[in-house]
Amino acid sequence: MKYLRLLRIFSVLFALTVCTSYLHAAALTAGTTTIPLNCTKGQTCTSSGTSTLVVSILSSAYFTVTAPSVPWLVVSPMSGNADQTTSDTILTFAVSPGWTTMSSGFHSTTVTITSPSATSATVTVTLQVQDAAPT
C-alpha cells in the first residue's frame, strides 16, 4: 500500500514537471530579428515607413506585443491568436506621423512578443530619418 501511494505521488510530480517543461519549450519564431524603417524629411513616409513581420507560434496560441516605448512606432495588431491553420500571424510595423519632428539619424527600439504557451521573441526596430535632398 505504501509503495502504491508513493508511486502515485511521484507520478503526479513527474506529470506536472513534463507538462510545464513542454509549455516552456515552445518558442515564438520571428521571420527576422530586425525591422528597418526609412523616412525622408519633407516627404510623406509611406511604403518605406511600413514593414511586416511573420511571427510563428507553435500551436494556435494567444500572443501580445509590448507597447513600443517610443512615440514614432505603431505595431498592429497588439494582441490576438495565431492563425489556426499555419500558426503564423502577421504584425505590421509603421511610423507614426510624429516622426517629422525627430532629428536626422538612426533611432532604435525593441518590441517583445509574448505568448503564455511559448518563450518570447524580441525584435529590434530601427528608423532612419534622412534630411531632404538640397535644392
Side-chain angles (χ1 to χ4, degrees):
M1 281 282 207
K2 287 183 181 182
Y3 176 73
L4 182 58
R5 188 176 301 160
L6 189 58
L7 184 59
R8 282 186 184 170
I9 291 171
F10 282 120
S11 65
V12 168
L13 289 176
F14 176 75
L16 288 173
T17 303
V18 170
C19 288
T20 57
S21 297
Y22 176 74
L23 286 174
H24 296 293
L28 292 166
T29 305
T32 183
T33 57
T34 305
I35 300 286
L37 303 172
N38 300 296
C39 296
T40 302
K41 290 186 175 189
Q43 298 178 9
T44 303
C45 193
T46 55
S47 61
S48 61
T50 304
S51 186
T52 58
L53 170 68
V54 175
V55 177
S56 296
I57 304 172
L58 300 178
S59 79
S60 56
Y62 181 77
F63 70 92
T64 58
V65 178
T66 56
S69 60
V70 292
W72 51 264
L73 180 62
V74 178
V75 182
S76 176
M78 290 295 288
S79 64
N81 287 308
D83 184 291
Q84 292 193 7
T85 56
T86 64
S87 297
D88 290 344
T89 192
I90 296 176
L91 300 179
T92 302
F93 294 79
V95 178
S96 71
W99 75 271
T100 56
T101 61
M102 296 174 64
S103 61
S104 298
F106 282 95
H107 306 273
S108 180
T109 190
T110 57
V111 174
T112 303
I113 306 155
T114 60
S115 175
S117 63
T119 56
S120 61
T122 301
V123 178
T124 300
V125 182
T126 60
L127 170 62
Q128 180 180 9
V129 177
Q130 301 171 359
D131 286 324
T135 56

PDB file of all heavy atoms in Angstrom, residues 13 21 25 36 39 43 50-51 66 71 81 89 93 109 135:
ATOM      1  N   LEU A  13       3.977  14.276  -9.667  1.00  0.00           N
ATOM      2  CA  LEU A  13       5.054  15.257  -9.772  1.00  0.00           C
ATOM      3  C   LEU A  13       5.745  15.169 -11.119  1.00  0.00           C
ATOM      4  O   LEU A  13       6.057  16.172 -11.743  1.00  0.00           O
ATOM      5  CB  LEU A  13       6.076  15.062  -8.649  1.00  0.00           C
ATOM      6  CG  LEU A  13       5.619  15.448  -7.245  1.00  0.00           C
ATOM      7  CD1 LEU A  13       6.687  15.111  -6.225  1.00  0.00           C
ATOM      8  CD2 LEU A  13       5.267  16.916  -7.183  1.00  0.00           C
ATOM      9  N   SER A  21       7.387  21.725 -18.493  1.00  0.00           N
ATOM     10  CA  SER A  21       8.541  21.773 -19.385  1.00  0.00           C
ATOM     11  C   SER A  21       8.089  21.869 -20.830  1.00  0.00           C
ATOM     12  O   SER A  21       8.663  22.600 -21.628  1.00  0.00           O
ATOM     13  CB  SER A  21       9.404  20.524 -19.218  1.00  0.00           C
ATOM     14  OG  SER A  21       9.923  20.472 -17.919  1.00  0.00           O
ATOM     15  N   ALA A  25       8.844  24.917 -23.584  1.00  0.00           N
ATOM     16  CA  ALA A  25       9.757  24.526 -24.645  1.00  0.00           C
ATOM     17  C   ALA A  25       9.386  25.167 -25.979  1.00  0.00           C
ATOM     18  O   ALA A  25      10.231  25.355 -26.824  1.00  0.00           O
ATOM     19  CB  ALA A  25       9.755  23.009 -24.781  1.00  0.00           C
ATOM     20  N   PRO A  36      13.819  47.297 -40.438  1.00  0.00           N
ATOM     21  CA  PRO A  36      14.345  48.621 -40.796  1.00  0.00           C
ATOM     22  C   PRO A  36      13.260  49.494 -41.430  1.00  0.00           C
ATOM     23  O   PRO A  36      12.555  49.073 -42.337  1.00  0.00           O
ATOM     24  CB  PRO A  36      15.436  48.285 -41.817  1.00  0.00           C
ATOM     25  CG  PRO A  36      14.953  47.022 -42.465  1.00  0.00           C
ATOM     26  CD  PRO A  36      14.129  46.296 -41.439  1.00  0.00           C
ATOM     27  N   CYS A  39      12.568  57.084 -43.476  1.00  0.00           N
ATOM     28  CA  CYS A  39      11.736  58.233 -43.821  1.00  0.00           C
ATOM     29  C   CYS A  39      12.644  59.402 -44.182  1.00  0.00           C
ATOM     30  O   CYS A  39      13.723  59.557 -43.608  1.00  0.00           O
ATOM     31  CB  CYS A  39      10.845  58.638 -42.647  1.00  0.00           C
ATOM     32  SG  CYS A  39       9.630  57.389 -42.183  1.00  0.00           S
ATOM     33  N   GLN A  43       8.977  64.694 -47.030  1.00  0.00           N
ATOM     34  CA  GLN A  43       8.217  63.752 -47.842  1.00  0.00           C
ATOM     35  C   GLN A  43       7.280  62.967 -46.937  1.00  0.00           C
ATOM     36  O   GLN A  43       7.511  62.844 -45.737  1.00  0.00           O
ATOM     37  CB  GLN A  43       9.145  62.780 -48.571  1.00  0.00           C
ATOM     38  CG  GLN A  43      10.089  63.441 -49.545  1.00  0.00           C
ATOM     39  CD  GLN A  43      11.011  62.420 -50.201  1.00  0.00           C
ATOM     40  OE1 GLN A  43      10.850  61.224 -50.061  1.00  0.00           O
ATOM     41  NE2 GLN A  43      12.003  62.923 -50.934  1.00  0.00           N
ATOM     42  N   THR A  50       6.758  51.434 -43.501  1.00  0.00           N
ATOM     43  CA  THR A  50       5.912  50.324 -43.061  1.00  0.00           C
ATOM     44  C   THR A  50       6.604  49.013 -43.395  1.00  0.00           C
ATOM     45  O   THR A  50       7.170  48.863 -44.463  1.00  0.00           O
ATOM     46  CB  THR A  50       4.541  50.360 -43.767  1.00  0.00           C
ATOM     47  OG1 THR A  50       3.947  51.623 -43.537  1.00  0.00           O
ATOM     48  CG2 THR A  50       3.628  49.276 -43.256  1.00  0.00           C
ATOM     49  N   SER A  51       6.565  48.089 -42.476  1.00  0.00           N
ATOM     50  CA  SER A  51       7.146  46.781 -42.721  1.00  0.00           C
ATOM     51  C   SER A  51       6.289  45.743 -42.018  1.00  0.00           C
ATOM     52  O   SER A  51       5.627  46.042 -41.032  1.00  0.00           O
ATOM     53  CB  SER A  51       8.580  46.726 -42.189  1.00  0.00           C
ATOM     54  OG  SER A  51       9.179  45.506 -42.546  1.00  0.00           O
ATOM     55  N   THR A  66       4.359  43.975 -26.549  1.00  0.00           N
ATOM     56  CA  THR A  66       4.557  45.059 -25.582  1.00  0.00           C
ATOM     57  C   THR A  66       4.447  46.386 -26.324  1.00  0.00           C
ATOM     58  O   THR A  66       4.898  46.510 -27.463  1.00  0.00           O
ATOM     59  CB  THR A  66       5.936  44.974 -24.899  1.00  0.00           C
ATOM     60  OG1 THR A  66       6.945  44.979 -25.902  1.00  0.00           O
ATOM     61  CG2 THR A  66       6.066  43.741 -24.045  1.00  0.00           C
ATOM     62  N   PRO A  71       7.460  57.141 -29.356  1.00  0.00           N
ATOM     63  CA  PRO A  71       6.223  57.647 -29.960  1.00  0.00           C
ATOM     64  C   PRO A  71       6.165  57.507 -31.481  1.00  0.00           C
ATOM     65  O   PRO A  71       5.114  57.715 -32.065  1.00  0.00           O
ATOM     66  CB  PRO A  71       6.217  59.126 -29.553  1.00  0.00           C
ATOM     67  CG  PRO A  71       7.650  59.466 -29.372  1.00  0.00           C
ATOM     68  CD  PRO A  71       8.316  58.220 -28.869  1.00  0.00           C
ATOM     69  N   ASN A  81      -4.751  35.881 -31.711  1.00  0.00           N
ATOM     70  CA  ASN A  81      -4.452  34.460 -31.778  1.00  0.00           C
ATOM     71  C   ASN A  81      -3.721  34.162 -33.081  1.00  0.00           C
ATOM     72  O   ASN A  81      -4.051  34.724 -34.123  1.00  0.00           O
ATOM     73  CB  ASN A  81      -5.731  33.621 -31.727  1.00  0.00           C
ATOM     74  CG  ASN A  81      -6.346  33.615 -30.351  1.00  0.00           C
ATOM     75  OD1 ASN A  81      -5.667  33.327 -29.374  1.00  0.00           O
ATOM     76  ND2 ASN A  81      -7.615  33.948 -30.266  1.00  0.00           N
ATOM     77  N   THR A  89       1.169  34.604 -37.692  1.00  0.00           N
ATOM     78  CA  THR A  89       0.415  35.843 -37.678  1.00  0.00           C
ATOM     79  C   THR A  89       1.308  36.926 -38.263  1.00  0.00           C
ATOM     80  O   THR A  89       2.528  36.833 -38.188  1.00  0.00           O
ATOM     81  CB  THR A  89      -0.061  36.204 -36.254  1.00  0.00           C
ATOM     82  OG1 THR A  89      -0.998  37.254 -36.332  1.00  0.00           O
ATOM     83  CG2 THR A  89       1.084  36.602 -35.351  1.00  0.00           C
ATOM     84  N   PHE A  93       4.513  46.953 -38.710  1.00  0.00           N
ATOM     85  CA  PHE A  93       5.259  47.992 -38.012  1.00  0.00           C
ATOM     86  C   PHE A  93       5.219  49.229 -38.888  1.00  0.00           C
ATOM     87  O   PHE A  93       5.654  49.187 -40.042  1.00  0.00           O
ATOM     88  CB  PHE A  93       6.707  47.558 -37.791  1.00  0.00           C
ATOM     89  CG  PHE A  93       6.836  46.380 -36.860  1.00  0.00           C
ATOM     90  CD1 PHE A  93       6.587  45.095 -37.298  1.00  0.00           C
ATOM     91  CD2 PHE A  93       7.215  46.569 -35.542  1.00  0.00           C
ATOM     92  CE1 PHE A  93       6.701  44.014 -36.445  1.00  0.00           C
ATOM     93  CE2 PHE A  93       7.325  45.497 -34.681  1.00  0.00           C
ATOM     94  CZ  PHE A  93       7.070  44.218 -35.127  1.00  0.00           C
ATOM     95  N   THR A 109      14.549  50.884 -31.253  1.00  0.00           N
ATOM     96  CA  THR A 109      13.801  50.415 -30.097  1.00  0.00           C
ATOM     97  C   THR A 109      13.618  48.910 -30.230  1.00  0.00           C
ATOM     98  O   THR A 109      13.851  48.347 -31.304  1.00  0.00           O
ATOM     99  CB  THR A 109      12.438  51.133 -29.975  1.00  0.00           C
ATOM    100  OG1 THR A 109      11.852  50.800 -28.704  1.00  0.00           O
ATOM    101  CG2 THR A 109      11.481  50.735 -31.089  1.00  0.00           C
ATOM    102  N   THR A 135      18.058  71.595 -52.553  1.00  0.00           N
ATOM    103  CA  THR A 135      17.503  72.066 -53.840  1.00  0.00           C
ATOM    104  C   THR A 135      18.382  73.137 -54.430  1.00  0.00           C
ATOM    105  O   THR A 135      19.084  73.833 -53.757  1.00  0.00           O
ATOM    106  CB  THR A 135      16.080  72.616 -53.656  1.00  0.00           C
ATOM    107  OG1 THR A 135      16.110  73.634 -52.669  1.00  0.00           O
ATOM    108  CG2 THR A 135      15.146  71.525 -53.267  1.00  0.00           C
TER     109      THR A 135
END
